[in-house]
Amino acid sequence: MSENDNLQEADGKKEVESQETTPTQETTTEVEAKTETEVEQDVNTQSEEVVHTEETVETNSETEQVEAEEKPEAENTSEDHVDEIEASNAEDAEDESNAERHELEDKDYHAMTMDQLVTEFNKLLKHHKIQTISKHVNEIKGEFNAKFSELLDEKKEEFVADGGNEIDFYYTNDQKKLFNSLYKEYKQSINAYYKDREQNLKQNLENRLAIIEEIKGLLTVEENMGTTYKTFKELQEKWRNAGPIPRDKYNNAWNTYHHHVERFYDFLHLNNDLRDMDFKHNYDQKLKIIERAEELAKDENTNRSFRELQVLHKLWKEELGPVGKEHREEIWERFSKATKTIHDKRQAYYADMDKAHEKNLERKEEIIAQINAVNEDSANSHSAWQKKIKTIEKLREDFFNAGKVPIKVNEATWTKFKDAVRTFNRSKNHFYKDLKKDQYENLKKKKELIKIAEDNKDSEDFKTVTPLMKKIQSDWKKIGHVPRRDSDKIWKQFKAACNHYFDRMHKERKAKDQHLYDAFDKKVKLLDDLKALELTDDPKADIKTLQDKISEWKDIGYVPQNKRYIDGKFYKAIDDAFDKLKMDKSKLEMIKFDSKLENLANPDDTRLLDNEQNFIRKKISEVQGEITQLENNLQFFSNVDSDNPLVKDVHKNIANHKKQLDTWKAKLTKVRGKYS
C-alpha cells in the first residue's frame, strides 16, 4: 500500500464515516501535525513566560493606571464596534500577512465538485503564502470530505448489494489520493511556518518590552532635552518596526506602550515646543484618519470599508501618538461614531446574508422533498430507473448550488439530504441486484441457444434445421438483457454460429439454383439493351421490336426469388417505350395490356391473373356507375336546348366513359382468354 493509500485509510475510511455529523466538520486525522489552534496555544503559553519581564516592571496599580489614562473616558468605555476592530487588529498583529488573507477571493466551495475542490486547493498552495489560506483550506477540506463521505456511502451500498461483506469494504479514488497528498503538504508547510513564527513572536515581544523599559528609563535621564527627545523618537521607530507579537499580548503591550509614551510627553512639559509640535502632527493625522473613516461610512461595500477601517485603527493606535488633552475626547468620539456607522452597516449586511441563507434553506428543503418524492415513485424497468438516476443527479447538483444555510441548521440539513440520497441508492441497488439475477437467468438461456446453434451449424439437413435456426433467432430476441460484460461476447458467438449455417445454406442453394442466377444475368443485359433502344418512325415495326423483347424476356425464364424485382423494372421500361409511340391511345393501351398479360400469365399459378380480372371488373362497375349518374343528371336538363354548353359537356363526358368501358371490357376478354 502506497503512502497516499495509508493516508486514505486513516483519513478516509475511518474518519470520513464520522463526518456524517456535518459537512464542514474536519475529519482527517493528522497524527504527526499539530492543528493551527494548537500551535497558537503553544505560542501563547510560551509567550506568557516572556511577559514576566513586563509583570515584574509594572505593579497592579500601575496597570490600572495604564487602563485609566491611555484613553479618555469615552474611549475607555466598552463599545462593540471598537472591540470588533481591536480584536481583528490583535489577530493581524500576530501575522503580518493578514492583509493578503483578506484579499483572497471568497468562493462557493459548497457548489464545487471534488475535482474542482482539489484544483482550488492546488492553486492556493502554489500561489499564496501558506499562512494566508487556512480559512479557505478548512472550507475546502470540509466540503471535500462531505462529498467523499457521500460517495463512500454510495459505493459501500453497491458493494453490499453485490453480495460483499461490509467489513471487507474499501474504496479510494484518484481525487482522494491527490487531496490527501495536497493536505499533507499543507500541514507540513503550516507546521513549519508556525514553528518558525513561534520563535519570532517570542523574540518580537521581548524586543517590544525592552523598548518600553527604555522609554520608561528616559524619565530619569539627566541630559539635554533635545537629545532625550531624539532618543525617544528613535525608540518609537524601533517600536514600529519590532514585528508581530502574540495576539493575546497585543492590547496589553500597546496600552503599556501608550501609557509610557504619554508619561514621556508629560515629562516633556519642560519643553512645550517639542511636545506641542508632536501633538499638532498627531492631531492633523488623526483628523485625516477620521475624514477617511467618514468617507468609508458612506461606502456600500461593507467588507472593503471594514478592512480599510482596520488599517485606520491600526494607524491611530500604532503609528500616531497622543494629542492635546483638550482634543482627545472630541476626536475619539468622532472616530468612534464613523466606526459605529460602518459596524452597523456590516451587521446589517450579515443580517441580509442570514436572510439569504434562510432562503437557501427553503430551497434545499424543497430539493430534499423532491428527492423523497422520487424515492416514493415506484419504477420497475431499467429505463425508468435510468430516468430517476438522472433526476437525482440533477437534484444533487441543485442542492450544492443552492448556497449556504444558517450554521445552526447546517448539520441537520446535510443529514436529511444524505438520508434521502442514501434511501434512493438503496432502492436503486436493490432493483439492480434483482435485475442482475434476471440477467444471469437470461444469460443461461442464451447460452443454451448458442449450444443449439453450434450443434447444428454444420448440418446438411437444411429442410429440418432451417426452421430450427430461425426459431432460436426469434427466441434470442425475446429473452432480454444479460450482464453487460457478457453481452457482446455471447452475441458474437451466437451470430457466428447462425451466420456459418445460413452462409452454407445459401451457398448450397445458389449452387442448386445456378440456372436461375444465369437467367438473372441475361435479364439484366436485356434490360440494359431495352433502355438503350432507339425507336423508329414506324410504329408497327417498333411494336414488333418491343413484342420480341417481351418474348425474349419470357423465354429466359425464372430468376431467384430475391431477384424478381427485375421483372417490374423491365415492364416499366416496356411501358415507357410504348408511351413514346405515335399512335392512337386506345390501341396503344391494349398493346401495353397485352405485354402486361405476358408477364402475368403463369399456367402453374393463376393468382396474378385472378387479381387482374377482379381489378378490371371493379373498374367496369365504377365506370358503369359514373355513366348512369351522368345520364340521370341529363334528366334535369329536359327543358334545356341541346346546344347548351353544359348539356354538351355532359354528353361528351358520357361518351368518354363509354369509350373507357369498351376498353376495360376488351381487357376483361383478353384476361379470360389467358385461362384457356
Side-chain angles (χ1 to χ4, degrees), residues 13 159 164-170:
K13 187 174 180 181
F159 178 76
N165 191 328
E166 186 171 343
I167 198 173
D168 298 324
F169 174 73
Y170 175 80

Side-chain angles (χ1 to χ4, degrees), residues 67-119:
E67 295 172 351
E69 295 183 10
E70 195 272 339
K71 293 179 183 177
E73 182 179 353
E75 198 170 346
N76 272 325
T77 303
S78 176
E79 297 171 301
D80 290 342
H81 56 286
V82 176
D83 292 344
E84 181 182 22
I85 294 289
E86 291 197 344
S88 296
N89 281 337
E91 182 179 357
D92 290 358
E94 196 173 62
D95 186 354
E96 293 177 330
S97 299
N98 201 273
E100 182 182 341
R101 181 183 297 115
H102 288 312
E103 293 304 317
L104 280 177
E105 178 186 359
D106 285 331
K107 297 186 178 182
D108 187 3
Y109 297 122
H110 188 61
M112 293 184 183
T113 63
M114 286 192 290
D115 272 335
Q116 291 170 331
L117 290 170
V118 169
T119 299

Side-chain angles (χ1 to χ4, degrees), residues 110 149 168 311 345 424 454 458 477 485 491 568 621:
H110 188 61
S149 173
D168 298 324
V311 176
K345 288 177 69 174
F424 172 80
E454 291 182 338
D458 293 316
K477 294 177 182 178
R485 64 174 179 269
W491 166 244
S621 177

Side-chain angles (χ1 to χ4, degrees), residues 51-65:
V51 83
H52 74 278
T53 307
E54 178 185 355
E55 292 170 351
T56 58
V57 173
E58 295 182 346
T59 64
N60 290 335
S61 61
E62 185 179 28
T63 304
E64 291 171 3
Q65 182 183 8

Side-chain angles (χ1 to χ4, degrees), residues 92-211:
D92 290 358
E94 196 173 62
D95 186 354
E96 293 177 330
S97 299
N98 201 273
E100 182 182 341
R101 181 183 297 115
H102 288 312
E103 293 304 317
L104 280 177
E105 178 186 359
D106 285 331
K107 297 186 178 182
D108 187 3
Y109 297 122
H110 188 61
M112 293 184 183
T113 63
M114 286 192 290
D115 272 335
Q116 291 170 331
L117 290 170
V118 169
T119 299
E120 288 297 321
F121 195 175
N122 196 27
K123 287 180 181 178
L124 289 174
L125 286 176
K126 287 186 175 180
H127 302 298
H128 298 279
K129 293 179 181 178
I130 197 69
Q131 66 271 27
T132 67
I133 64 175
S134 58
K135 172 179 172 289
H136 292 262
V137 169
N138 287 335
E139 287 186 24
I140 289 174
K141 177 185 174 187
E143 293 299 341
F144 183 90
N145 282 340
K147 290 178 173 63
F148 185 76
S149 173
E150 184 191 4
L151 176 64
L152 203 63
D153 288 343
E154 184 177 339
K155 294 297 183 181
K156 184 185 291 185
E157 292 283 350
E158 292 176 1
F159 178 76
V160 173
D162 285 339
N165 191 328
E166 186 171 343
I167 198 173
D168 298 324
F169 174 73
Y170 175 80
Y171 175 79
T172 188
N173 59 19
D174 291 339
Q175 296 165 328
K176 181 60 176 171
K177 291 177 181 178
L178 180 54
F179 178 83
N180 284 344
S181 175
L182 293 174
Y183 193 75
K184 182 178 180 181
E185 178 184 343
Y186 165 74
K187 293 304 291 184
Q188 290 173 341
S189 298
I190 197 67
N191 285 335
Y193 165 77
Y194 280 124
K195 185 176 181 180
D196 183 60
R197 193 185 71 166
E198 178 182 351
Q199 298 299 321
N200 290 336
L201 292 175
K202 188 174 180 181
Q203 184 61 51
N204 293 342
L205 180 59
E206 291 178 357
N207 293 342
R208 286 185 182 273
L209 295 177
I211 293 171

